[in-house]
Each structure stands twice: as structure tokens, then as C-alpha cells.
Amino acid sequence: MSQRNPSIILKAGRERPLQQRHPWVFSGAIQAVRGTPHAGAVVELLSADGNWLARGFYSSESQIRVRAACWEESEALDANWLRRRITRALQARAQLLEWPDSACRLIFSESDAIPGLIVDRYGPFLVVQLLTQAMAAWAGEVTAALRELLQPRGIYERSDAEVRAKEGLPAREGLLWGEFPPEQLPLRPIRQPGSGSIPPPMLIDLRTGQKTGHYLDQTINRARVAAYSAGTRLLDCFCYSGGFSLYAAQAGAASLTLVDSSASALELARANLQLGAPETPAEFVEADLFQLLRRYRAEGRTFDLIILDPPKFAHSQPQVERAARGYKDINLLALQLLTPGGILATFSCSGLVSSDLFQKIVFGAALDARRDVQIVERLAQGPDHPVLLTFPEGEYLKGLICRVW
Ligand code: SAH
């Protein structure tokens, strides 16, 4: 088996990451290619002196030329491997799938040891992202395994265009199998294992909504932030479908101001609040937050709880500095709008901005705002987005709940 696959020979001294089970092999680490691997082919990874290191998937276009997926020479990368890995990912989430209408990430790519595959469960439907040449070529095997193991009503593909472009793949969207999902589906997010409170259902738009339809990674953080919301005048910045506001309203927030630059996001947020917290006064503002926060400051408006959950500002290393300025700007403005003793819940989903750097940015904003800021909780992506120790790149979402004086 191993002799029949093409081989990738690493440059001398470049084998260490693979020996430590890091899955990425960059083009610059490769000495030679033996055979002619096609896009997405299974390849053997060998050290410069010919030792077998790992087996993985070849990507002809990406800087990440191979993604290793197995470290046992006797284990083939085939449909059975895929089924075993999916089964393991499901086992890891057994505790989280408490209700039939659960919304939960089931497979998180490298972090679940299936590079290039993301699967989100939205009740009876699955939304799939095939993000590498190999997974695009394996669409049939992926669909068959998911049907067998999960018996969904439909499997819908929404492969992210930006990531696929790096693989030389066109954007793809459409039904892979079964029924078309409806426009909107009321689904129940996961809760922190062991926590008593049952999360409210939320309307999810899995065909045209952002990401695969919902920000699943923030579900548990919404409950954490809501714990500080009783009686507060809350400002939900970058609200998308209103998750933070909905949880906070149910926990007793006095009033809500939800802001997003997207009209369709605000429409979804309005529907969610109407459904789950119709009594709480809520205003929905379509605006660019960099401008709106300045206007609120000029008007002397204040809030007791502010959530900052912006989109990814840093998509590549050269963008980190600019991203840091963006984060500092909105954090400074938010600190200036908070009443003494108020709460700032601030997030960054840029993987390239580390927790340390993020804390330094908030520190800089606090100094400039001349406010005392205490970290009361540190937050991260939810347990359905685990971080594999050998792949720290899988850790991307970080948040701080701060008390501001
Ligand atoms: N807090 C949300 C997720 C936010 S995602 C949740 O819990 O689900 C980021 C959101 O920011 C998107 O909805 C996007 O439309 C919005 N956005 C991006 N740039 C913006 C800007 N400059 N001003 C206001 N909203 C913006």
C-alpha cells in the first residue's frame, strides 16, 4: 500500500513538526516529490534519510502542500479511516447532543484529525464544508459516511470561498444529499455540560446566513455573558442574529441596543428577540460600529454592559498590526461608553491574534481611556470546537469579560 502512493521527501532537519504530529507540511519544507500525486492524492511523508513519518493528503496549489492525517504506517487513508474518525468526533460530542433540535459543530477539521472537513449539525440537517482538494474529491465518501452514521434529512454544502481559493478550488454551495433545508430553522444551541439552564431556541438561516448559518462557537459564551446582564442597558455590537442579546434578555437585561452593518443580520436578530424575549425593549441599528461608537461618545450615551464580537480582522500575518489597531479602537470607544462598574465582554476570533496580544490590546485601550479594568472571566471557543494539543492553530476565539471602573 505505502509503496504505491507517491512520496514526499522533506528537506533535512524539517521532520520535527511531523514527528510532533503537527499536520501541516509547507511547500518550503519539501526536498523532492517521488511519483506524480494528483490534486488531493494520498501521499507518504518521508524524512531526508528515507524514514517514514506520516501519511497525508496532497494539495497541489496551497502553500500547505500536505496535511498529514495518520501516523501509523499500517493504517490506510481510506473510507474506513474516515468512518473511524467521524465516529470518534461524534463520541467526543455525545454529552453535548442533548436534544433532537441541537445546533452543534460535529467535525472541526484538523482539530478532529480530519483535515479539511467541517460538519455542523443543525437539527436534522448537516452543513458541510469541504475545504481541501482531498475533501472536495472525497465528497461522495463523506456523504456516505455521514448518512450511515447520522441519518440526516439532508446534507447541504457551503464551502467557504476564501479558504477554497487557496486550494485552487471554486466556491461551492448546494445540496449533497436528501432534502433541501428550509430557509429558517428554530434550533437549540448546546449548553455547558453540567449547567442547569436550557438554552433558548434560535432561528438559524443555514442556506444564506453567515458562516454555515450560525456562530456556533459563541453559544456557551452567550450564557456566560448573560450572567452579568440583569437590570443592564446593554449594547450588543456586531450582533449578527442577536444571540448575546437573546440570552441576556432572558436573564433580565433592562434594554437592548443591537448593532450590525448587515440589514439581513438585523432582521434575523429582530425575529429572534421577538420569539424569545418580546417584552424586553430593543432597538436595532444598522450602522458601521467604528462610526456609531464615536457618535454615541459625542452624544454622551452610556451603557452598563457592552459586547464587542467583531468579525475576523487579521486574515494573514501582515494584517496583524492593522487588526490590533482596529481592536484597540473599538475597545477604547466601548470603555468610554461604560458606566462605572459596567461590564465589557470583548472578543477576537482572529487566530493570528494570540490571547496574550489581545490582552495587551485591551490593556492599551484601558490606559488611553483612563479606566481601571479587571478581568473577571476568560472565554474561548465552545467544547464543540476542541483544540488538539498538536495543532494549536485550531485555537482562534478568545474573549475577556471585564469589570470597568
Ligand atoms: N455576535 C454575533 C456574531 C458576530 S459576527 C453572534 O453572537 O452570533 C460579526 C458581525 O459583524 C457580522 O454580523 C457582520 O455583519 C458585522 N460587521 C462587520 N463589520 C461591521 C462594522 N464595521 N460595523 C458593524 N457591523 C459589522
PDB file of all heavy atoms in Angstrom, residues 210 214-215 218 222 236-244 259-262 265 287-290 309-311, ligand 1:
ATOM      1  N   GLN A 210     -24.552  33.806   7.717  1.00  0.00           N
ATOM      2  CA  GLN A 210     -23.092  33.860   7.728  1.00  0.00           C
ATOM      3  C   GLN A 210     -22.511  32.530   8.218  1.00  0.00           C
ATOM      4  O   GLN A 210     -23.174  31.755   8.874  1.00  0.00           O
ATOM      5  CB  GLN A 210     -22.624  35.001   8.630  1.00  0.00           C
ATOM      6  CG  GLN A 210     -23.080  36.365   8.117  1.00  0.00           C
ATOM      7  CD  GLN A 210     -22.643  37.506   9.020  1.00  0.00           C
ATOM      8  OE1 GLN A 210     -21.707  37.380   9.782  1.00  0.00           O
ATOM      9  NE2 GLN A 210     -23.327  38.624   8.920  1.00  0.00           N
ATOM     10  N   HIS A 214     -24.676  30.028  11.486  1.00  0.00           N
ATOM     11  CA  HIS A 214     -24.768  30.480  12.871  1.00  0.00           C
ATOM     12  C   HIS A 214     -23.365  30.506  13.465  1.00  0.00           C
ATOM     13  O   HIS A 214     -22.504  29.740  13.043  1.00  0.00           O
ATOM     14  CB  HIS A 214     -25.641  29.487  13.653  1.00  0.00           C
ATOM     15  CG  HIS A 214     -26.017  29.967  15.017  1.00  0.00           C
ATOM     16  ND1 HIS A 214     -26.905  30.984  15.226  1.00  0.00           N
ATOM     17  CD2 HIS A 214     -25.627  29.574  16.245  1.00  0.00           C
ATOM     18  CE1 HIS A 214     -27.042  31.184  16.528  1.00  0.00           C
ATOM     19  NE2 HIS A 214     -26.266  30.348  17.167  1.00  0.00           N
ATOM     20  N   TYR A 215     -23.150  31.389  14.465  1.00  0.00           N
ATOM     21  CA  TYR A 215     -21.863  31.398  15.162  1.00  0.00           C
ATOM     22  C   TYR A 215     -21.940  30.415  16.322  1.00  0.00           C
ATOM     23  O   TYR A 215     -22.184  30.781  17.471  1.00  0.00           O
ATOM     24  CB  TYR A 215     -21.489  32.820  15.600  1.00  0.00           C
ATOM     25  CG  TYR A 215     -21.118  33.661  14.402  1.00  0.00           C
ATOM     26  CD1 TYR A 215     -22.073  34.352  13.679  1.00  0.00           C
ATOM     27  CD2 TYR A 215     -19.806  33.686  13.944  1.00  0.00           C
ATOM     28  CE1 TYR A 215     -21.743  35.077  12.540  1.00  0.00           C
ATOM     29  CE2 TYR A 215     -19.457  34.402  12.808  1.00  0.00           C
ATOM     30  CZ  TYR A 215     -20.431  35.099  12.124  1.00  0.00           C
ATOM     31  OH  TYR A 215     -20.098  35.788  10.988  1.00  0.00           O
ATOM     32  N   GLN A 218     -19.822  30.610  19.748  1.00  0.00           N
ATOM     33  CA  GLN A 218     -20.103  31.545  20.841  1.00  0.00           C
ATOM     34  C   GLN A 218     -21.243  31.082  21.743  1.00  0.00           C
ATOM     35  O   GLN A 218     -21.617  31.800  22.680  1.00  0.00           O
ATOM     36  CB  GLN A 218     -20.490  32.924  20.268  1.00  0.00           C
ATOM     37  CG  GLN A 218     -19.339  33.726  19.685  1.00  0.00           C
ATOM     38  CD  GLN A 218     -18.474  34.363  20.767  1.00  0.00           C
ATOM     39  OE1 GLN A 218     -18.342  33.837  21.870  1.00  0.00           O
ATOM     40  NE2 GLN A 218     -17.866  35.490  20.448  1.00  0.00           N
ATOM     41  N   ARG A 222     -22.388  33.062  25.274  1.00  0.00           N
ATOM     42  CA  ARG A 222     -23.605  33.889  25.415  1.00  0.00           C
ATOM     43  C   ARG A 222     -24.208  33.691  26.798  1.00  0.00           C
ATOM     44  O   ARG A 222     -24.654  34.657  27.436  1.00  0.00           O
ATOM     45  CB  ARG A 222     -24.624  33.515  24.341  1.00  0.00           C
ATOM     46  CG  ARG A 222     -24.122  33.870  22.964  1.00  0.00           C
ATOM     47  CD  ARG A 222     -25.164  33.597  21.879  1.00  0.00           C
ATOM     48  NE  ARG A 222     -24.529  33.818  20.595  1.00  0.00           N
ATOM     49  CZ  ARG A 222     -24.452  32.936  19.608  1.00  0.00           C
ATOM     50  NH1 ARG A 222     -25.040  31.754  19.717  1.00  0.00           N
ATOM     51  NH2 ARG A 222     -23.819  33.231  18.496  1.00  0.00           N
ATOM     52  N   ASP A 236     -25.114  45.567  22.166  1.00  0.00           N
ATOM     53  CA  ASP A 236     -24.628  44.343  21.527  1.00  0.00           C
ATOM     54  C   ASP A 236     -24.025  44.725  20.174  1.00  0.00           C
ATOM     55  O   ASP A 236     -24.745  44.901  19.188  1.00  0.00           O
ATOM     56  CB  ASP A 236     -25.824  43.376  21.373  1.00  0.00           C
ATOM     57  CG  ASP A 236     -25.439  42.010  20.815  1.00  0.00           C
ATOM     58  OD1 ASP A 236     -24.261  41.829  20.432  1.00  0.00           O
ATOM     59  OD2 ASP A 236     -26.329  41.137  20.760  1.00  0.00           O
ATOM     60  N   CYS A 237     -22.682  44.890  20.170  1.00  0.00           N
ATOM     61  CA  CYS A 237     -22.003  45.329  18.938  1.00  0.00           C
ATOM     62  C   CYS A 237     -21.638  44.131  18.079  1.00  0.00           C
ATOM     63  O   CYS A 237     -21.106  43.158  18.588  1.00  0.00           O
ATOM     64  CB  CYS A 237     -20.729  46.092  19.284  1.00  0.00           C
ATOM     65  SG  CYS A 237     -21.011  47.533  20.305  1.00  0.00           S
ATOM     66  N   PHE A 238     -21.876  44.219  16.790  1.00  0.00           N
ATOM     67  CA  PHE A 238     -21.665  43.115  15.837  1.00  0.00           C
ATOM     68  C   PHE A 238     -22.605  41.961  16.228  1.00  0.00           C
ATOM     69  O   PHE A 238     -22.181  40.841  16.471  1.00  0.00           O
ATOM     70  CB  PHE A 238     -20.201  42.645  15.841  1.00  0.00           C
ATOM     71  CG  PHE A 238     -19.182  43.749  15.694  1.00  0.00           C
ATOM     72  CD1 PHE A 238     -18.603  44.352  16.808  1.00  0.00           C
ATOM     73  CD2 PHE A 238     -18.808  44.196  14.420  1.00  0.00           C
ATOM     74  CE1 PHE A 238     -17.658  45.370  16.661  1.00  0.00           C
ATOM     75  CE2 PHE A 238     -17.861  45.207  14.275  1.00  0.00           C
ATOM     76  CZ  PHE A 238     -17.284  45.789  15.396  1.00  0.00           C
ATOM     77  N   CYS A 239     -23.884  42.256  16.280  1.00  0.00           N
ATOM     78  CA  CYS A 239     -24.850  41.334  16.911  1.00  0.00           C
ATOM     79  C   CYS A 239     -25.201  40.132  16.058  1.00  0.00           C
ATOM     80  O   CYS A 239     -25.703  39.146  16.561  1.00  0.00           O
ATOM     81  CB  CYS A 239     -26.128  42.092  17.272  1.00  0.00           C
ATOM     82  SG  CYS A 239     -27.061  42.654  15.823  1.00  0.00           S
ATOM     83  N   TYR A 240     -25.005  40.196  14.729  1.00  0.00           N
ATOM     84  CA  TYR A 240     -25.482  39.163  13.800  1.00  0.00           C
ATOM     85  C   TYR A 240     -26.917  38.742  14.140  1.00  0.00           C
ATOM     86  O   TYR A 240     -27.807  39.574  14.122  1.00  0.00           O
ATOM     87  CB  TYR A 240     -24.507  37.964  13.715  1.00  0.00           C
ATOM     88  CG  TYR A 240     -24.966  36.972  12.681  1.00  0.00           C
ATOM     89  CD1 TYR A 240     -25.281  37.387  11.383  1.00  0.00           C
ATOM     90  CD2 TYR A 240     -25.148  35.628  12.994  1.00  0.00           C
ATOM     91  CE1 TYR A 240     -25.748  36.489  10.436  1.00  0.00           C
ATOM     92  CE2 TYR A 240     -25.616  34.721  12.052  1.00  0.00           C
ATOM     93  CZ  TYR A 240     -25.921  35.164  10.778  1.00  0.00           C
ATOM     94  OH  TYR A 240     -26.403  34.278   9.862  1.00  0.00           O
ATOM     95  N   SER A 241     -27.153  37.467  14.499  1.00  0.00           N
ATOM     96  CA  SER A 241     -28.547  37.055  14.694  1.00  0.00           C
ATOM     97  C   SER A 241     -29.043  37.293  16.123  1.00  0.00           C
ATOM     98  O   SER A 241     -30.112  36.814  16.499  1.00  0.00           O
ATOM     99  CB  SER A 241     -28.740  35.590  14.295  1.00  0.00           C
ATOM    100  OG  SER A 241     -27.905  34.738  15.047  1.00  0.00           O
ATOM    101  N   GLY A 242     -28.262  38.037  16.914  1.00  0.00           N
ATOM    102  CA  GLY A 242     -28.771  38.505  18.204  1.00  0.00           C
ATOM    103  C   GLY A 242     -28.604  37.542  19.369  1.00  0.00           C
ATOM    104  O   GLY A 242     -29.254  37.700  20.409  1.00  0.00           O
ATOM    105  N   GLY A 243     -27.724  36.564  19.223  1.00  0.00           N
ATOM    106  CA  GLY A 243     -27.566  35.543  20.267  1.00  0.00           C
ATOM    107  C   GLY A 243     -27.245  36.113  21.639  1.00  0.00           C
ATOM    108  O   GLY A 243     -27.886  35.752  22.640  1.00  0.00           O
ATOM    109  N   PHE A 244     -26.262  37.008  21.712  1.00  0.00           N
ATOM    110  CA  PHE A 244     -25.892  37.555  23.032  1.00  0.00           C
ATOM    111  C   PHE A 244     -27.078  38.295  23.652  1.00  0.00           C
ATOM    112  O   PHE A 244     -27.360  38.163  24.847  1.00  0.00           O
ATOM    113  CB  PHE A 244     -24.675  38.491  22.910  1.00  0.00           C
ATOM    114  CG  PHE A 244     -23.363  37.756  22.839  1.00  0.00           C
ATOM    115  CD1 PHE A 244     -22.697  37.593  21.634  1.00  0.00           C
ATOM    116  CD2 PHE A 244     -22.794  37.223  23.983  1.00  0.00           C
ATOM    117  CE1 PHE A 244     -21.489  36.906  21.570  1.00  0.00           C
ATOM    118  CE2 PHE A 244     -21.584  36.536  23.939  1.00  0.00           C
ATOM    119  CZ  PHE A 244     -20.928  36.378  22.717  1.00  0.00           C
ATOM    120  N   VAL A 259     -26.518  46.261  17.235  1.00  0.00           N
ATOM    121  CA  VAL A 259     -25.935  46.953  16.083  1.00  0.00           C
ATOM    122  C   VAL A 259     -25.229  45.976  15.162  1.00  0.00           C
ATOM    123  O   VAL A 259     -24.460  45.115  15.623  1.00  0.00           O
ATOM    124  CB  VAL A 259     -24.912  48.020  16.542  1.00  0.00           C
ATOM    125  CG1 VAL A 259     -24.429  48.837  15.338  1.00  0.00           C
ATOM    126  CG2 VAL A 259     -25.491  48.922  17.621  1.00  0.00           C
ATOM    127  N   ASP A 260     -25.471  46.124  13.874  1.00  0.00           N
ATOM    128  CA  ASP A 260     -24.742  45.363  12.859  1.00  0.00           C
ATOM    129  C   ASP A 260     -24.794  46.176  11.568  1.00  0.00           C
ATOM    130  O   ASP A 260     -25.702  46.980  11.371  1.00  0.00           O
ATOM    131  CB  ASP A 260     -25.375  43.984  12.640  1.00  0.00           C
ATOM    132  CG  ASP A 260     -24.386  42.973  12.064  1.00  0.00           C
ATOM    133  OD1 ASP A 260     -24.105  43.056  10.852  1.00  0.00           O
ATOM    134  OD2 ASP A 260     -23.892  42.115  12.818  1.00  0.00           O
ATOM    135  N   SER A 261     -23.800  45.954  10.691  1.00  0.00           N
ATOM    136  CA  SER A 261     -23.820  46.661   9.409  1.00  0.00           C
ATOM    137  C   SER A 261     -24.680  45.935   8.385  1.00  0.00           C
ATOM    138  O   SER A 261     -24.923  46.450   7.303  1.00  0.00           O
ATOM    139  CB  SER A 261     -22.390  46.824   8.881  1.00  0.00           C
ATOM    140  OG  SER A 261     -21.775  45.559   8.807  1.00  0.00           O
ATOM    141  N   SER A 262     -25.132  44.730   8.719  1.00  0.00           N
ATOM    142  CA  SER A 262     -25.903  43.947   7.754  1.00  0.00           C
ATOM    143  C   SER A 262     -27.390  43.990   8.075  1.00  0.00           C
ATOM    144  O   SER A 262     -27.819  43.630   9.173  1.00  0.00           O
ATOM    145  CB  SER A 262     -25.398  42.495   7.765  1.00  0.00           C
ATOM    146  OG  SER A 262     -26.425  41.601   7.406  1.00  0.00           O
ATOM    147  N   ALA A 265     -28.839  40.530   8.793  1.00  0.00           N
ATOM    148  CA  ALA A 265     -28.493  40.060  10.137  1.00  0.00           C
ATOM    149  C   ALA A 265     -29.465  40.659  11.153  1.00  0.00           C
ATOM    150  O   ALA A 265     -29.997  39.961  12.019  1.00  0.00           O
ATOM    151  CB  ALA A 265     -27.059  40.443  10.485  1.00  0.00           C
ATOM    152  N   ALA A 287     -25.568  50.073  11.212  1.00  0.00           N
ATOM    153  CA  ALA A 287     -24.516  51.096  11.175  1.00  0.00           C
ATOM    154  C   ALA A 287     -23.148  50.443  11.176  1.00  0.00           C
ATOM    155  O   ALA A 287     -22.996  49.275  11.546  1.00  0.00           O
ATOM    156  CB  ALA A 287     -24.628  52.010  12.405  1.00  0.00           C
ATOM    157  N   ASP A 288     -22.152  51.256  10.787  1.00  0.00           N
ATOM    158  CA  ASP A 288     -20.757  50.855  10.929  1.00  0.00           C
ATOM    159  C   ASP A 288     -20.336  51.216  12.353  1.00  0.00           C
ATOM    160  O   ASP A 288     -20.416  52.380  12.759  1.00  0.00           O
ATOM    161  CB  ASP A 288     -19.904  51.608   9.909  1.00  0.00           C
ATOM    162  CG  ASP A 288     -18.417  51.415  10.189  1.00  0.00           C
ATOM    163  OD1 ASP A 288     -18.043  50.319  10.615  1.00  0.00           O
ATOM    164  OD2 ASP A 288     -17.653  52.378   9.996  1.00  0.00           O
ATOM    165  N   LEU A 289     -19.885  50.223  13.098  1.00  0.00           N
ATOM    166  CA  LEU A 289     -19.634  50.469  14.527  1.00  0.00           C
ATOM    167  C   LEU A 289     -18.493  51.430  14.784  1.00  0.00           C
ATOM    168  O   LEU A 289     -18.483  52.124  15.804  1.00  0.00           O
ATOM    169  CB  LEU A 289     -19.419  49.150  15.260  1.00  0.00           C
ATOM    170  CG  LEU A 289     -20.775  48.606  15.708  1.00  0.00           C
ATOM    171  CD1 LEU A 289     -20.790  47.116  15.786  1.00  0.00           C
ATOM    172  CD2 LEU A 289     -21.215  49.239  17.017  1.00  0.00           C
ATOM    173  N   PHE A 290     -17.524  51.485  13.891  1.00  0.00           N
ATOM    174  CA  PHE A 290     -16.411  52.427  14.102  1.00  0.00           C
ATOM    175  C   PHE A 290     -16.944  53.865  14.126  1.00  0.00           C
ATOM    176  O   PHE A 290     -16.458  54.709  14.863  1.00  0.00           O
ATOM    177  CB  PHE A 290     -15.343  52.249  13.018  1.00  0.00           C
ATOM    178  CG  PHE A 290     -14.584  50.959  13.141  1.00  0.00           C
ATOM    179  CD1 PHE A 290     -15.042  49.802  12.520  1.00  0.00           C
ATOM    180  CD2 PHE A 290     -13.430  50.892  13.900  1.00  0.00           C
ATOM    181  CE1 PHE A 290     -14.348  48.607  12.644  1.00  0.00           C
ATOM    182  CE2 PHE A 290     -12.719  49.699  14.031  1.00  0.00           C
ATOM    183  CZ  PHE A 290     -13.194  48.551  13.398  1.00  0.00           C
ATOM    184  N   ASP A 309     -18.096  41.784  19.536  1.00  0.00           N
ATOM    185  CA  ASP A 309     -17.797  40.488  18.898  1.00  0.00           C
ATOM    186  C   ASP A 309     -17.585  40.712  17.405  1.00  0.00           C
ATOM    187  O   ASP A 309     -18.388  40.275  16.578  1.00  0.00           O
ATOM    188  CB  ASP A 309     -18.952  39.506  19.164  1.00  0.00           C
ATOM    189  CG  ASP A 309     -18.661  38.124  18.607  1.00  0.00           C
ATOM    190  OD1 ASP A 309     -17.470  37.791  18.431  1.00  0.00           O
ATOM    191  OD2 ASP A 309     -19.625  37.375  18.346  1.00  0.00           O
ATOM    192  N   PRO A 310     -16.484  41.407  17.053  1.00  0.00           N
ATOM    193  CA  PRO A 310     -16.284  41.792  15.657  1.00  0.00           C
ATOM    194  C   PRO A 310     -15.915  40.606  14.770  1.00  0.00           C
ATOM    195  O   PRO A 310     -15.552  39.546  15.293  1.00  0.00           O
ATOM    196  CB  PRO A 310     -15.101  42.767  15.747  1.00  0.00           C
ATOM    197  CG  PRO A 310     -14.346  42.353  16.950  1.00  0.00           C
ATOM    198  CD  PRO A 310     -15.383  41.836  17.924  1.00  0.00           C
ATOM    199  N   PRO A 311     -15.997  40.785  13.454  1.00  0.00           N
ATOM    200  CA  PRO A 311     -15.533  39.733  12.545  1.00  0.00           C
ATOM    201  C   PRO A 311     -14.015  39.622  12.639  1.00  0.00           C
ATOM    202  O   PRO A 311     -13.365  40.435  13.300  1.00  0.00           O
ATOM    203  CB  PRO A 311     -15.962  40.245  11.166  1.00  0.00           C
ATOM    204  CG  PRO A 311     -16.013  41.719  11.309  1.00  0.00           C
ATOM    205  CD  PRO A 311     -16.436  41.974  12.727  1.00  0.00           C
TER     206      PRO A 311
HETATM  207  N1  SAH B   1     -22.106  38.321  17.831  1.00  0.00           N
HETATM  208  C1  SAH B   1     -22.595  37.511  16.743  1.00  0.00           C
HETATM  209  C2  SAH B   1     -21.558  37.185  15.711  1.00  0.00           C
HETATM  210  C3  SAH B   1     -20.861  38.378  15.114  1.00  0.00           C
HETATM  211  S1  SAH B   1     -20.102  38.089  13.590  1.00  0.00           S
HETATM  212  C4  SAH B   1     -23.236  36.263  17.311  1.00  0.00           C
HETATM  213  O1  SAH B   1     -23.218  36.051  18.523  1.00  0.00           O
HETATM  214  O2  SAH B   1     -23.762  35.462  16.530  1.00  0.00           O
HETATM  215  C5  SAH B   1     -19.646  39.686  13.099  1.00  0.00           C
HETATM  216  C6  SAH B   1     -20.781  40.583  12.628  1.00  0.00           C
HETATM  217  O3  SAH B   1     -20.226  41.868  12.434  1.00  0.00           O
HETATM  218  C7  SAH B   1     -21.422  40.217  11.314  1.00  0.00           C
HETATM  219  O4  SAH B   1     -22.800  40.064  11.519  1.00  0.00           O
HETATM  220  C8  SAH B   1     -21.153  41.401  10.378  1.00  0.00           C
HETATM  221  O5  SAH B   1     -22.263  41.732   9.559  1.00  0.00           O
HETATM  222  C9  SAH B   1     -20.885  42.523  11.361  1.00  0.00           C
HETATM  223  N2  SAH B   1     -19.977  43.604  10.939  1.00  0.00           N
HETATM  224  C10 SAH B   1     -18.825  43.503  10.254  1.00  0.00           C
HETATM  225  N3  SAH B   1     -18.209  44.702  10.156  1.00  0.00           N
HETATM  226  C11 SAH B   1     -19.002  45.599  10.800  1.00  0.00           C
HETATM  227  C12 SAH B   1     -18.908  47.014  11.078  1.00  0.00           C
HETATM  228  N4  SAH B   1     -17.864  47.701  10.660  1.00  0.00           N
HETATM  229  N5  SAH B   1     -19.893  47.598  11.764  1.00  0.00           N
HETATM  230  C13 SAH B   1     -20.964  46.875  12.197  1.00  0.00           C
HETATM  231  N6  SAH B   1     -21.084  45.540  11.991  1.00  0.00           N
HETATM  232  C14 SAH B   1     -20.129  44.915  11.301  1.00  0.00           C
END
